[in-house]
Amino acid sequence: MARHSAQIAGAKGRRSAGHVTLADVARLAGVATMSASRALRMPGEVSPELRRRVQRAIEQLGYVRNRVAGGLAGAANDMVGVIVPSMHNAFFSATLEALARELESRGVGLLVANSGYDARKESDLAYALLSWRPRALVLTGVDHSAKVLHLMRGVSTPLIEMWDLSPRPATLNIGFSHREVGKAVARHFASAGYRKLAFAGANMQLDRRARQRCAGFVAEALRLGLQRPRVVEIEQRAEVGRGREAAAELLRGTPAVQAAAFSNDVLALGALFECQARGIAVPGRLALAGFGDLDVVAQTVPSITSVAPPSAEIGRLVGQAVFDKQLRDRRAIDLGFHLIARASSAPRR
Amino acid sequence: MARHSAQIAGAKGRRSAGHVTLADVARLAGVATMSASRALRMPGEVSPELRRRVQRAIEQLGYVRNRVAGGLAGAANDMVGVIVPSMHNAFFSATLEALARELESRGVGLLVANSGYDARKESDLAYALLSWRPRALVLTGVDHSAKVLHLMRGVSTPLIEMWDLSPRPATLNIGFSHREVGKAVARHFASAGYRKLAFAGANMQLDRRARQRCAGFVAEALRLGLQRPRVVEIEQRAEVGRGREAAAELLRGTPAVQAAAFSNDVLALGALFECQARGIAVPGRLALAGFGDLDVVAQTVPSITSVAPPSAEIGRLVGQAVFDKQLRDRRAIDLGFHLIARASSAPRR
DNA sequence: CTGAAAGCGCTAACAA
DNA sequence: TTGTTAGCGCTTTCAG
C-alpha cells in the first residue's frame, strides 16, 4: 500500500532528481504543452496572455529547456561538431573562439574534439561527433582518412573543411593556400637580398599544412634561381625550445644560412632567443620569418616577420556556412593571408 | 495515385536525406531492434552470432549511432558542458585539452562556450549548455552571477568550478589559491633582495583571479615590511603590447621600482621586450616575474620567472570528477602551483 | 539470451 | 490563436 501510493506519487515527479518538463510548465500555466512550446520558441506568435502565463510558470518551476528532446522531435539539432588537431594552439583557438561566437549568437552549441594530428583518432572522433547529429561537422585540413570520408557518405550532415584548400574540393573548403604562404616568404627573403635560405618545420610528417608551406618555400626559392634551401625537420610539435635547437642547427652548417623561415612563429621565437643568447645579429647575420602572426612576434626586439593567417575569419565564415546553404554549396573559399614584414628580415645592406 | 505510392515508398526511407536508424539495422540483420541495441552497447552479453549479424548490417548500411535519441530514452547524456572566460588563452586551452582527452576516452563529448569574462553572458551560456542536459556543467572561477546559481538550483546537473577555490565552496572546486600565488611571488622577490615592488595586472575588474593574485602580492609585501607596491591596472585583456606599456609606465615613476610582478606571462614578456628595446638590464635594473609558465618564458634571454598553474591537471581531475561521485562530493581540491625562479629575478648582488 | 511494449520530452502537422 | 494527435530513435522494463 505504502509502496503503491509512493508509485502514484512518483508518477508525477518520478524523476524527482531530474528536470522539470514542459508538460509540468503547461499544467501549471493551465495550457496545452504545445502552447507552452510555442510560447517558448515563437513568443511573437502567441497571445501576450499566454506568453505571460507560461513565463510565470517557467520561472516558478525553474524550467530549463530540453534540446535533446527537441532535437529528436524534429527541430534542427542545434549543435556543430568540430575537430581541431590541437586546442593548445593559438591559431585554432582563435578560429574556435570566432566560430563559437558566431554559433552562440544563434543558439547553437559547439562540440569540440582534438585529434592530436592523429588520423585514426580523427575518424573515431568524427564518428562520436556525428552520433550527436550535429548540424554540420567541421574538420581541420583536407586530408582525412578514407574512414572519415566513408563515414560521411552514410549521413546527411554537411562537412566543412577549414584551414586548407584542396586541389579539387569534394565539400566546402574555407582556408587559404599554405603552399602560397611558403612561396610568399621565399619571395620576401629574395627581394630583401637574402640568397642562402633555409626552412625549419615542426611535425611535418603529420601536419600537411606545414609540409606544404615548406614545399612552396623550397619551390619558389629554386624558381628564383637561388640554391636549394636547407630544410630542418623537427619531429615534434612546435615549441620554443625546438626553435632554439633548430636555430643552433642552422647556425652550425656551411655554407652559412642567411635567412630562415619557420613553420610556426613559436619556432621563430625560439630562433630569435637562440641568436640573442649567442650574440648573433638578427637580421644582420641571420634573418627570420615565422608563420601565424602571434601577438608576441610583433613585440620582440627585433620584431619578427610573419604571415598572418585568417584564423578568426575562418571561424566566422565556417559559422556562417553552417546556416547558409548557398555559401555551403561553394566549393572553396580562399581567405588569403598577409605577409607582415618586420625587422627580423629587413633588407640586407 | 502517384503521390500515394510515393508516400508508401517514402515510409521506409522517409528521411531519405536523413540517417539510417537502428531499426533499419535490426531489420536487415533479421533481429529485434532491442537486440541490435544490445549488440551495440553490451557486445559481451549477446551471442557471437547476433553480434556478427548486427555488425554486418551496420557496416552495410553505414549506420551511425544516434546519441540524441539514446539520451532521451534514458541513457546518460554523454556530454559535458564547460564555460571558459576565453579560449584564446593558453591556460584554459591546456585545461580544455586535458579535459577533452579525459572525456573522449569514455565516449563523452565536450560542449564548450566562452564567456569573454562577461557574467551576463556566462549565465546565458550556462542556460544554453544545461538545455543539452549534460552530465555536468563546468564553470571557470567561483564568482558567478546569482542567475547562474539560481539556474543550477532547478536542475540535477552537478556543477564543478575550476581554476579557483572559494572560501566556502558550495560545490566541487578544483583549482588553487590565486592569493597564495601573489604572496609567493612577493616572498620570492623579497628573498632575492628586491625591496621596491610593483604589480601590473590586466583586466582586473573582470578577472577575479588576477585581482586575487594582485591582492596577495600587495598584502605579502606589506607583511614583510616592504613599502606598498605600486599597482598598475591595465583595463584590457593581457597582450604583449600592453606589457610593454606597463613596463614603460613602471620605469617612469619614482622611486624606481626594482621588481615587477605581472598578472600574466604575456605581460611579463612584453615588459622584457620593452626593457630590451630601451637597453634596461633585467634583472639588474628591473626584475620580472609572470604567471602561467608559458612555454616561451623559459626560453627568453634572460628567462622569466613564473608561476606554473596546474592547467592540465585541472582538466584531468575535472574529467575524473564527472564520473566519480565520491570525488565530486569533496568540496575543494587544491592542486597548488609552482613558482619557477629564473634569471629575470635572480638575487640582487 | 532475445523480444515486445511503452515511453523519454518535445515538436510537426493537422484540427478546432 | 490554441489544442490534439502522432511520432522522432532509442532504451528501459518485463516477458518469453
Side-chain angles (χ1 to χ4, degrees):
Chain A
M1 277 287 269
R3 186 173 180 177
H4 192 197
S5 63
Q7 283 186 343
I8 289 176
K12 217 183 207 156
R14 178 157 31 79
R15 283 208 180 187
S16 57
H19 294 248
V20 178
T21 73
L22 192 54
D24 296 333
V25 171
R27 207 170 302 133
L28 182 62
V31 301
T33 311
M34 192 59 223
S35 297
S37 173
R38 268 194 283 256
L40 256 174
R41 290 173 304 132
M42 357 180 186
E45 301 181 29
V46 298
S47 67
E49 168 62 11
L50 182 101
R51 211 181 319 152
R52 213 169 306 124
R53 295 177 66 163
V54 170
Q55 195 48 46
R56 269 220 2 219
I58 285 176
E59 270 156 28
Q60 221 163 314
L61 259 37
Y63 171 74
V64 175
R65 189 174 162 190
N66 184 341
R67 306 181 84 135
V68 177
L72 222 210
N77 225 340
D78 279 341
M79 213 153 53
V80 166
V82 52
I83 303 179
V84 289
S86 155
M87 303 175 69
H88 194 78
N89 176 312
F91 310 160
F92 302 126
S93 298
T95 297
L96 285 179
E97 188 153 319
L99 175 56
R101 193 186 312 288
E102 196 68 31
L103 297 179
E104 273 156 20
S105 69
R106 321 207 197 193
V108 169
L110 187 64
L111 205 50
V112 300
N114 69 111
S115 65
Y117 288 98
D118 178 342
R120 189 213 153 76
K121 200 168 170 205
E122 184 185 54
S123 71
D124 289 352
L125 290 171
Y127 182 89
L129 292 184
L130 284 176
S131 76
W132 288 107
R133 296 296 184 274
R135 268 178 106 103
L137 181 63
V138 181
L139 300 182
T140 305
V142 297
D143 53 334
H144 310 292
S145 75
K147 219 168 156 187
V148 173
L149 300 176
H150 183 259
L151 201 57
M152 295 308 301
R153 215 159 287 144
V155 302
S156 60
T157 313
L159 174 64
I160 302 173
E161 294 173 315
M162 63 176 185
W163 268 91
D164 203 353
L165 300 173
S166 164
R168 34 178 189 67
T171 181
L172 176 58
N173 285 193
I174 297 178
F176 59 96
S177 165
H178 291 259
R179 199 179 157 80
E180 288 301 326
V181 167
K183 288 161 76 172
V185 175
R187 271 197 305 274
H188 167 74
F189 277 153
S191 71
Y194 300 97
R195 311 207 53 81
K196 307 220 169 83
L197 311 187
F199 189 98
N203 200 28
M204 292 207 290
Q205 324 85 53
L206 299 175
D207 185 346
R208 187 191 112 112
R209 294 173 292 286
R211 215 158 55 225
Q212 297 252 315
R213 294 195 288 276
C214 179
F217 182 84
V218 170
E220 188 68 4
L222 294 176
R223 202 188 62 81
L224 292 170
L226 304 182
Q227 60 182 247
R228 173 174 286 275
R230 187 161 156 213
V231 171
V232 172
E233 287 202 43
I234 299 154
E235 322 233 328
Q236 296 163 62
R237 56 188 272 182
E239 278 177 13
V240 182
R242 302 291 84 69
R244 288 190 71 152
E245 292 165 14
E249 169 76 21
L250 285 174
L251 258 9
R252 234 189 321 271
T254 52
V257 167
Q258 297 167 335
F262 294 83
S263 68
N264 190 306
D265 276 351
V266 160
L267 297 177
L269 262 182
L272 174 63
F273 298 152
E274 182 66 18
C275 290
Q276 290 181 341
R278 297 174 174 226
I280 286 171
V282 174
R285 163 81 175 74
L286 182 67
L288 305 173
F291 169 78
D293 196 34
L294 298 184
D295 175 29
V296 60
V297 299
Q299 306 290 343
T300 52
V301 184
S303 57
I304 302 175
T305 293
S306 188
V307 171
S311 310
E313 248 134 314
I314 289 175
R316 211 171 309 137
L317 216 59
V318 167
Q320 284 165 17
V322 169
F323 303 98
D324 186 341
K325 167 107 177 78
Q326 217 168 341
L327 195 59
R328 234 164 37 229
D329 283 341
R330 295 178 55 179
R331 293 288 86 165
I333 298 178
D334 185 347
L335 259 21
F337 56 84
H338 295 282
L339 188 147
I340 302 170
R342 296 203 180 92
S344 73
S345 64
R348 293 190 93 190
R349 310 134 291 144
Chain B
M1 276 288 272
R3 185 171 179 178
H4 192 197
S5 63
Q7 283 186 344
I8 290 175
K12 217 184 206 153
R14 179 156 28 81
R15 282 211 182 185
S16 59
H19 294 250
V20 178
T21 73
L22 191 54
D24 296 332
V25 170
R27 207 170 301 133
L28 181 63
V31 301
T33 310
M34 193 54 229
S35 297
S37 172
R38 268 194 283 258
L40 257 174
R41 288 174 304 133
M42 357 181 187
E45 300 180 30
V46 298
S47 67
E49 168 62 9
L50 181 97
R51 209 179 323 151
R52 214 170 304 123
R53 295 176 67 163
V54 170
Q55 195 48 48
R56 268 220 3 218
I58 284 176
E59 271 157 26
Q60 223 164 311
L61 259 33
Y63 171 74
V64 176
R65 189 174 161 190
N66 184 341
R67 305 182 86 137
V68 177
L72 221 208
N77 226 341
D78 279 341
M79 211 153 54
V80 165
V82 52
I83 302 179
V84 289
S86 154
M87 305 176 69
H88 194 76
N89 175 312
F91 310 160
F92 302 126
S93 298
T95 297
L96 284 179
E97 189 153 319
L99 175 56
R101 194 187 312 287
E102 195 70 31
L103 297 178
E104 272 156 22
S105 69
R106 322 208 198 190
V108 169
L110 186 64
L111 204 49
V112 300
N114 69 110
S115 65
Y117 288 99
D118 177 341
R120 190 214 151 77
K121 203 169 168 201
E122 183 184 56
S123 72
D124 288 351
L125 290 171
Y127 182 89
L129 292 183
L130 284 175
S131 76
W132 288 107
R133 296 295 183 272
R135 268 179 106 104
L137 181 63
V138 182
L139 301 183
T140 305
V142 296
D143 54 334
H144 310 294
S145 75
K147 220 167 155 187
V148 172
L149 301 174
H150 184 258
L151 202 57
M152 296 308 301
R153 216 159 286 145
V155 302
S156 61
T157 313
L159 174 65
I160 301 174
E161 292 173 315
M162 63 176 185
W163 270 91
D164 203 353
L165 301 173
S166 165
R168 36 178 187 67
T171 181
L172 176 57
N173 285 194
I174 297 179
F176 58 96
S177 165
H178 290 259
R179 200 180 157 80
E180 288 301 326
V181 167
K183 287 161 77 173
V185 175
R187 272 197 304 273
H188 168 73
F189 277 153
S191 72
Y194 300 96
R195 312 208 52 83
K196 306 222 169 83
L197 310 187
F199 188 98
N203 201 27
M204 291 206 291
Q205 324 84 51
L206 298 175
D207 185 344
R208 187 190 114 112
R209 294 173 292 287
R211 215 159 53 226
Q212 297 251 315
R213 296 195 288 276
C214 179
F217 182 84
V218 170
E220 188 70 1
L222 294 176
R223 200 187 64 79
L224 293 170
L226 304 182
Q227 61 182 246
R228 172 173 286 275
R230 185 159 157 215
V231 172
V232 173
E233 286 203 44
I234 298 154
E235 322 234 329
Q236 295 163 66
R237 55 187 273 183
E239 278 177 13
V240 182
R242 300 291 85 69
R244 288 190 70 153
E245 292 166 12
E249 170 76 22
L250 285 175
L251 257 11
R252 233 191 318 273
T254 51
V257 167
Q258 296 169 336
F262 295 83
S263 68
N264 190 304
D265 276 352
V266 160
L267 297 176
L269 263 182
L272 174 63
F273 299 151
E274 184 65 19
C275 290
Q276 290 181 341
R278 297 176 173 224
I280 286 172
V282 173
R285 163 78 175 75
L286 181 68
L288 306 173
F291 169 79
D293 196 34
L294 297 183
D295 175 27
V296 61
V297 300
Q299 306 289 343
T300 51
V301 185
S303 57
I304 302 175
T305 293
S306 189
V307 171
S311 311
E313 248 135 313
I314 290 174
R316 211 172 307 134
L317 215 59
V318 167
Q320 285 165 16
V322 169
F323 302 99
D324 186 342
K325 167 109 177 78
Q326 215 168 339
L327 195 59
R328 234 163 36 229
D329 283 341
R330 294 178 54 181
R331 294 285 84 164
I333 299 179
D334 186 346
L335 258 24
F337 55 85
H338 295 283
L339 189 149
I340 302 172
R342 297 204 180 92
S344 73
S345 64
R348 292 189 95 189
R349 307 136 288 141

